[in-house]
Amino acid sequence: MQEEQARASKRTVVRVRKPEWLKIRLGDNSTFTDTKQTIEGHGLNTICHSGKCPNQGECWSAGTATFMIGGAVCTRACRFCNTLSSKTPAPLDPLEPMKVAQSIKKMNLRHAVITSVDRDDLEDYGAAHWVRTIEEIRRVAPEVTIEVLIPDFNGRLDYVDQIIACRPRIISHNLETIRRLTPEVRHIATYDQSLSVLKRIAESGIPAKTGIMLGLGETEEEVLELIDDAHAVGVSIMTIGQYLQPTRRHLPVVEYVHPKQFARLRTLGLERGLRHIESGPLIRSSYHAERHVLD
């Protein structure tokens, strides 16, 4: 009986065919190779690779990447994310901050974006490691502007304050999806907890940024409610992209949202008071991140 139910459940999943506008550009130049060699040579992780980012070819070919600190294994298992997951990841690499800083220097980056896995196994959820990484980047490449995409530190705003004290140029924390879908899409994280992190960032005077995915079954009304919620806590920068199912084990795509709808949401978001919005099917959190500094 259980096997029959399982087969029936599988039959209800409708696989939506990818449209033409989601064609991905592959890396095909020497800069892509140099970027790859720098990252692999230092034994570093990137969300570009672990998250199967559709823009990896474009960004690496332009000589940029988003570094992922804290190791390659996350202690959470969000149903949209391709990053490896385990409750017992390897210990932190004490040399990782230095390796990240040296890679940024070698790649001649003007704007560096750093993110991390969740490390709920650590007493401080990895906050001190974050601080060491930012400090090392400042020491090795003082001319670089720094953007950080931080976890929620399990709601501990005192650890968020440690990142704020380092004064990166932009601090980002992703809401990922609308309120209604958050329990299904994210693991442990809550919608209101993420809003509290964003509020704390905005109150510090550092630009607060967030990112969301479309195509999981949300309505336009719900997305606009999210934009209003984000703006109300002080978010000024947002990215809106299309969810792409990494593997068949992850949540299926409900809808491939048309580029015109992404453009419409950008217009409506700006009208609601956000300063900068990147919105399109292939947009990801760090895509064209340098624009957010220059605007």
Side-chain angles (χ1 to χ4, degrees):
M1 185 67 176
Q2 289 181 343
E3 291 180 359
E4 291 178 1
Q5 290 175 340
R7 285 195 293 270
S9 176
K10 288 181 181 179
R11 286 196 294 271
T12 63
V13 176
V14 179
R15 303 288 174 185
V16 186
R17 184 182 296 275
K18 281 187 181 180
E20 286 296 310
W21 62 75
L22 278 172
K23 286 185 176 180
I24 297 170
R25 174 189 168 191
L26 299 177
D28 56 2
N29 65 12
S30 60
T31 305
F32 178 93
T33 302
D34 290 344
T35 302
K36 185 174 185 289
Q37 289 177 345
T38 297
I39 292 165
E40 292 180 350
H42 285 100
L44 296 172
N45 301 294
T46 67
I47 195 61
C48 321
H49 177 71
S50 70
K52 289 190 174 181
C53 178
N55 302 310
Q56 179 177 338
E58 177 183 347
C59 294
W60 286 26
S61 295
T64 186
T66 298
F67 297 94
M68 186 174 74
I69 64 173
V73 179
C74 185
T75 52
R76 300 186 185 180
C78 297
R79 296 189 64 202
F80 69 90
C81 185
N82 190 60
T83 303
L84 296 174
S85 176
S86 171
K87 292 183 179 180
T88 56
L92 293 173
D93 176 4
L95 298 179
E96 187 177 58
M98 178 189 68
K99 294 174 182 177
V100 169
Q102 290 176 342
S103 295
I104 288 170
K105 183 71 173 179
K106 184 175 181 180
M107 293 165 67
N108 295 314
L109 297 184
R110 292 182 302 163
H111 183 66
V113 184
I114 316 296
T115 188
S116 78
V117 292
D118 284 284
R119 291 300 302 256
D120 295 328
D121 59 312
L122 301 176
E123 185 176 354
D124 70 346
Y125 305 103
H129 193 71
W130 264 104
V131 170
R132 285 193 294 272
T133 301
I134 296 170
E135 290 177 343
E136 190 66 14
I137 294 170
R138 287 250 171 79
R139 185 185 69 82
V140 173
E143 70 285 356
V144 172
T145 54
I146 301 172
E147 176 176 331
V148 297
L149 171 54
I150 63 172
D152 62 8
F153 297 110
N154 215 25
R156 287 286 300 272
L157 296 181
D158 51 331
Y159 292 135
V160 176
D161 288 341
Q162 291 185 22
I163 311 303
I164 290 172
C166 295
R167 307 305 294 180
R169 184 66 64 89
I170 294 172
I171 303 180
S172 180
H173 173 69
N174 285 345
L175 283 164
E176 305 293 6
T177 190
I178 59 166
R179 181 185 291 276
R180 173 176 58 85
L181 293 175
T182 294
E184 180 183 3
V185 173
R186 305 173 76 190
H187 180 233
I188 299 176
T190 70
Y191 186 85
D192 287 319
Q193 188 162 283
S194 287
L195 284 176
S196 72
V197 170
L198 290 165
K199 184 173 187 291
R200 189 65 152 241
I201 296 165
E203 288 174 342
S204 74
I206 296 174
K209 174 181 171 182
T210 196
I212 61 170
M213 307 169 289
L214 302 185
L216 288 163
E218 68 289 324
T219 66
E220 180 182 278
E221 182 180 3
E222 289 174 312
V223 175
L224 294 178
E225 179 185 346
L226 179 150
I227 291 174
D228 287 338
D229 289 343
H231 181 253
V233 298
V235 169
S236 59
I237 305 168
M238 179 176 287
T239 59
I240 307 174
Q242 169 71 51
Y243 167 65
L244 298 175
Q245 184 182 16
T247 73
R248 288 182 177 268
R249 294 180 290 102
H250 293 82
L251 288 169
V253 175
V254 175
E255 175 190 10
Y256 287 111
V257 179
H258 195 278
K260 289 183 178 179
Q261 177 64 8
F262 281 99
R264 171 178 165 80
L265 288 172
R266 180 180 184 275
T267 298
L268 293 174
L270 292 173
E271 289 175 353
R272 280 167 153 75
L274 270 69
R275 178 174 65 85
H276 190 108
I277 301 176
E278 294 277 352
S279 182
L282 295 178
I283 296 299
R284 294 298 181 265
S285 299
S286 58
Y287 189 63
H288 290 162
E290 70 282 354
R291 294 178 180 177
H292 311 159
V293 175
L294 298 176
D295 281 5

